[in-house]
Amino acid sequence: MTLALRCEGISKQFGTVQAVDNVSFGVESGHILALVGPSGCGKTTLLRMIAGFETPEEGFIQIDDQCVICPNAFVEPENRQVGMVFQDYALFPHLNVSDNISFGLKGSKKDKQQRASELLKLIDLPDYGDRFPHELSGGEQQRVALARTLAPNPRLVLLDEPFSNLDADLRRELRTDVRAILKKLNITTILVTHDQEEAMEIGDQVAVLHSGHLEQIGPTFEVYEQPQTPFVARFLGKADFLPVRFSKEALRTDLGPLPLPNELPKGQHLHVLVRPEFLEISGQPMDRSVPVEVVTNKSSGHTSVHCLKTPSGRRVHSASLGPMRFPEGSKVYARLNIPNPVVFDEMDEQPYCLFSPEDGPCCQLLQKSGLIQIQSFVKNLL
Amino acid sequence: MAAMQVGKRSLWQSLLRLAKAENVPPVWVWLPAGFVALGVLLPLIYLTVRTFELGDDAWQFLIRSRNVEILWNSALLTFSVAAASVVLAVPLAWLTVRTDLPLRRFWSVLTMLPLVLPSYIAAYLFVIFFGERGDLQQFLNGLFEVERLPGIYGFGGAFLVLTLLSFPYVLLSVRSALWRMDPGIEESARLLGNRPGKTFFRVTLPILRPAILSGALLAALYTLSDFGAVSFLNYKTFTWAIYLQYGTFGRSLAAALSLVLVLFTIGLLLMEMKARGRFKYYRSGTSAMTPPSQIQLGMWRWPALLFCGLIVTISLIIPLAVLAQWTIKGVLIGESFQSFWALTWNSISASGMAAMVTILAALPIALWSVRYPSWLSGLIERTTYIGFALPGIAVALALVFFAINYARPIYQSMPLLIFAYVVLFLPTAVGAIRTSLLQVNPSIEEAARGLGKSSFQTVRKISLPLMRSGILAAAAMVFLLVMKELPATLILGPTGFKTLATSVWTYISEAFYAQAAAPSLLLVLASAGSLVFLLTQETRYTK
């Protein structure tokens, strides 16, 4: 395995704001890394440093063993052989689709045209060569932008929130297409997004950034299953935390005992991560089950989420397949199934919600829509 | 009774429906708008009729070699001023928007200010300074014993003056296009292997093309319709020839010349439309704007500063310094400002009235075209743009003939002069009012209708207050333009009616430069005042 990209000790300041703080990571050749974090966490800055539009104050960046930013070397963007798809696609409005795609190519006109038509086939828009960018829909513009980026065979492709201007259905469809194309061509890619679902779906690896600081990087599902910080746990997927006590070779919680984890932090305020899929509920008592009360429920038909109140009054969520089963206020039995519990000390930041304090997904919605400021504003008010 | 009403309504509605105007505006919109459009057409129709009456004579007259020379002179001046404006404005716009040029704000304000100088004032100030034996020659003579400078009269002077006054039009449009441009486009070009210089020529310049063209068009229209500078500098263009014909020989021949000038202007408009091509160059995305990245000039900032400084010195500092110097000279030889208060009052009252009437004329047209769009409203709106193509001198002549032949009582009366101003400056007002109306969300108006207000009440109580700053801006613009306007005021002004502009003209034609200085200064100050007002309206607008 060779590293297609290596970033070491990258730091960047804008005025007094530490946009990126001592970040180091590598991407293996042919892998897709999803760089996620809330808005303003520094992910776009990091991407722009790799492209060469920003210069870090400290650290170095290597692409395929070529040092593009070192203490005594700086490779201009046009010489990096890095491709980038911008959030607004940034197609050249004065050129048609073919000329847009062949813009970065060298050689004879015929070769260029041939390569352009190859790529048009790849993105499944074979007859679009003569159209102009303003005649294309958002999804088509996006695919042309990808083709333009891929045309000169870049060493590395950067995708900056590439799906954020598309509506939900199209976004889902394009994600699958884009991943398929990138995998087919075996191109090393970094995807920047604030959408954790997108990150999990596209990324082989995921890196979570938080206020300029790299919280965790690893294979996507490892990061999901073994988050190293509460922030990562909350950012990737839905997370609740239950206080645990340590006694007699086991962990005790409101909802029953849990096996011992591999690593157990030392501390006074231990909490275990509870994902909705870890919590099974039933109308009948089960083995090891604990009675709880249903606070709210919602269902998309395909999945249902019940918010439950534990005996000590904590709120946790349980997800199950199929339409919702238990009305609000009813008594049900809950059982924790956590094979490898993840335990944290120091729950520094409690998620806070504008509309209903128990409701986690609503927080995530706020984070996604960039309304995080409203949240902190309300927090200050209270 | 009811049947009659239905019958009456259906007559009008079917007429309008016949015109495929599915959106039928209320009568208080379409009636005045229709009248205004007819009024605007009047000068053009009259010029045409008058020329055709002449028949062969007109043709014989027009192909006289002197007139061919005039056509050539006009074309040469128009194209070279437009080209030179682009050459000055594009680097200036780029420097002030995209680089770390020191004092960027300062330069961007100063380079806009030549707009307040009327061309005839700039022309005479330049003659004083750059003339054969002007201030510059005196200065150089002291240093190197330069006997005389090349003459400023003729093409050279007209070119210099008009370029320095009209490059801000190009600057305005290129600057705003640069601000609007998605920085991702240039960054994409760089990542695809183009050095910054190559990126500029392959991507930035082509994208700026529509903005450059529309700015150049404004500069060209300004040059073509300019009367003051070319006449004063004795460069023989259309406006010069028309004024000469009007004063001496056949007035019908002046009409023929005016019509050719109008055709020339329309030709320019068509050329610009064709050159602009079919591309839509607006930003496609909706995401938050990243500010355009700043280019570090490094050592290049010294030549860049020199370039900006030179342009500002020649286009602004020299004229203003000469003006100040001659105002003082005027005061020293006993000219008093006293006599100018009457002139100032005339200028202000005429401009104020013209602004008011123009706004009233523009409102129904803007309302119709924005709220009830159809091909008919589009036609009406475009008709008002004739004012762009009609040089002041052509409108003035057409109205003089019309008044003498058909409306003797209003010949040389204030209403006719105001009417000329409306025809000339209506497009400016319609444009500004349209823009502000487009920013009023129609559902706010619909909500008012839903609460039981009539369409008229809705406009009066909802739309107009919301459009206030746009309307004020339009009024200020018309005010500024009328203050500076010369040929129509000269030809159509009532006997004995003098404004600042006409008295400056009278003095400088007789080379009474000291006497001309004080009214010039007042005129420049008044223009600057309305420009400052405009700029403050604009900032309030963007908040």
Side-chain angles (χ1 to χ4, degrees), chain B residues 299-490:
Chain B
M299 282 314 287
W300 284 100
R301 69 174 176 276
W302 302 113
L305 279 175
L306 188 70
F307 175 69
C308 295
L310 208 61
I311 290 180
V312 168
T313 307
I314 299 179
S315 66
L316 196 68
I317 295 175
I318 288 179
L320 291 184
V322 174
L323 184 56
Q325 186 198 352
W326 281 77
T327 311
I328 293 167
K329 268 189 199 174
V331 172
L332 290 182
I333 62 165
E335 279 293 316
S336 76
F337 275 78
Q338 211 66 45
S339 57
F340 298 120
W341 293 131
L343 298 177
T344 312
W345 170 246
N346 279 350
S347 276
I348 289 180
S349 59
S351 308
M353 246 189 296
M356 242 162 56
V357 178
T358 312
I359 298 298
L360 285 180
L363 273 172
I365 289 168
L367 274 172
W368 192 355
S369 77
V370 173
R371 287 296 181 249
Y372 310 94
S374 64
W375 70 265
L376 188 61
S377 73
L379 189 71
I380 297 267
E381 190 209 330
R382 247 156 258 156
T383 308
T384 65
Y385 286 121
I386 285 177
F388 266 143
L390 286 181
I393 199 158
V395 170
L397 268 178
L399 292 181
V400 164
F401 298 142
F402 181 79
I404 288 176
N405 289 329
Y406 302 105
R408 199 70 205 208
I410 61 161
Y411 176 59
Q412 289 200 320
S413 72
M414 207 55 193
L416 192 65
L417 181 60
I418 300 283
F419 179 59
Y421 290 148
V422 172
V423 172
L424 286 172
F425 303 126
L426 190 64
T428 313
V430 170
I433 292 177
R434 254 182 69 89
T435 316
S436 66
L437 184 57
L438 280 169
Q439 290 175 350
V440 176
N441 188 339
S443 29
I444 297 178
E445 288 171 5
E446 282 157 13
R449 296 299 296 277
L451 293 168
K453 300 286 175 208
S454 72
S455 60
F456 185 72
Q457 283 171 320
T458 304
V459 166
R460 201 166 61 85
K461 294 203 161 154
I462 305 292
S463 323
L464 286 185
L466 288 172
M467 291 157 66
R468 194 175 142 266
S469 66
I471 291 175
L472 281 177
M477 263 189 270
V478 174
F479 186 87
L480 174 71
L481 290 167
V482 174
M483 281 294 271
K484 292 163 42 180
E485 209 285 334
L486 182 62
T489 320
L490 271 181

Side-chain angles (χ1 to χ4, degrees), chain A residues 2-51:
Chain A
T2 50
L3 285 184
L5 171 76
R6 205 172 136 221
C7 294
E8 206 63 58
I10 304 288
S11 292
K12 171 82 183 174
Q13 239 174 342
F14 290 117
T16 55
V17 181
Q18 188 73 41
V20 176
D21 186 9
N22 194 17
V23 167
S24 305
F25 65 94
V27 187
E28 278 170 25
S29 190
H31 276 217
I32 301 177
L33 172 74
L35 206 55
V36 289
S39 19
C41 69
K43 53 195 190 305
T44 296
T45 308
L46 197 54
L47 203 68
R48 291 174 60 79
M49 287 193 281
I50 298 168

Side-chain angles (χ1 to χ4, degrees), chain A residues 359-371:
Chain A
D359 207 333
C362 146
C363 270
Q364 291 190 346
L365 193 75
L366 280 177
Q367 280 183 340
K368 278 180 200 168
S369 56
L371 287 173

Side-chain angles (χ1 to χ4, degrees), chain A residues 227-244 253-255 269-276 310 312-317 336 338 342-351 358:
Chain A
Q228 283 164 9
T229 63
F231 178 83
V232 174
R234 278 197 204 102
F235 199 81
L236 287 187
K238 168 84 194 82
D240 294 306
F241 298 95
L242 277 181
V244 291
T253 73
D254 254 5
L255 299 177
H269 308 284
L270 299 184
H271 287 75
V272 67
L273 165 65
V274 180
R275 299 255 189 226
T310 68
S312 68
R314 308 283 301 195
R315 308 287 157 103
V316 285
H317 294 77
L336 276 179
I338 313 183
V342 176
V343 178
F344 299 110
D345 187 26
E346 296 287 318
M347 294 299 300
D348 43 349
E349 21 145 21
Q350 279 296 320
E358 298 83 28

Side-chain angles (χ1 to χ4, degrees), chain A residues 48 51 53 76-79 82-84 86-94 100 102-104 106 112 130 132 134-135 141 148-149 152 165, chain B residues 182-196 198 202-204 206-207 278-288 290 293:
Chain A
R48 291 174 60 79
F53 297 124
E76 294 289 336
E78 58 268 27
N79 299 326
V82 167
M84 183 157 169
F86 289 81
Q87 199 171 356
D88 292 345
Y89 323 129
L91 294 177
F92 305 126
H94 59 301
N100 258 287
S102 57
F103 188 88
K106 296 192 171 61
K112 284 185 183 178
D130 292 332
F132 278 86
H134 69 268
E135 296 167 327
Q141 288 189 24
R148 182 181 69 179
T149 304
N165 285 335
Chain B
D182 179 0
I185 286 185
E186 283 180 344
E187 291 176 352
S188 296
R190 294 222 34 210
L191 285 178
L192 292 166
N194 294 274
R195 277 174 288 109
K198 214 172 159 199
R202 273 188 88 184
V203 173
T204 316
I207 290 174
R278 62 171 169 144
F279 318 122
K280 289 188 183 170
Y281 286 9
Y282 44 73
R283 283 172 69 103
S284 53
T286 48
S287 73
T290 20
S293 55

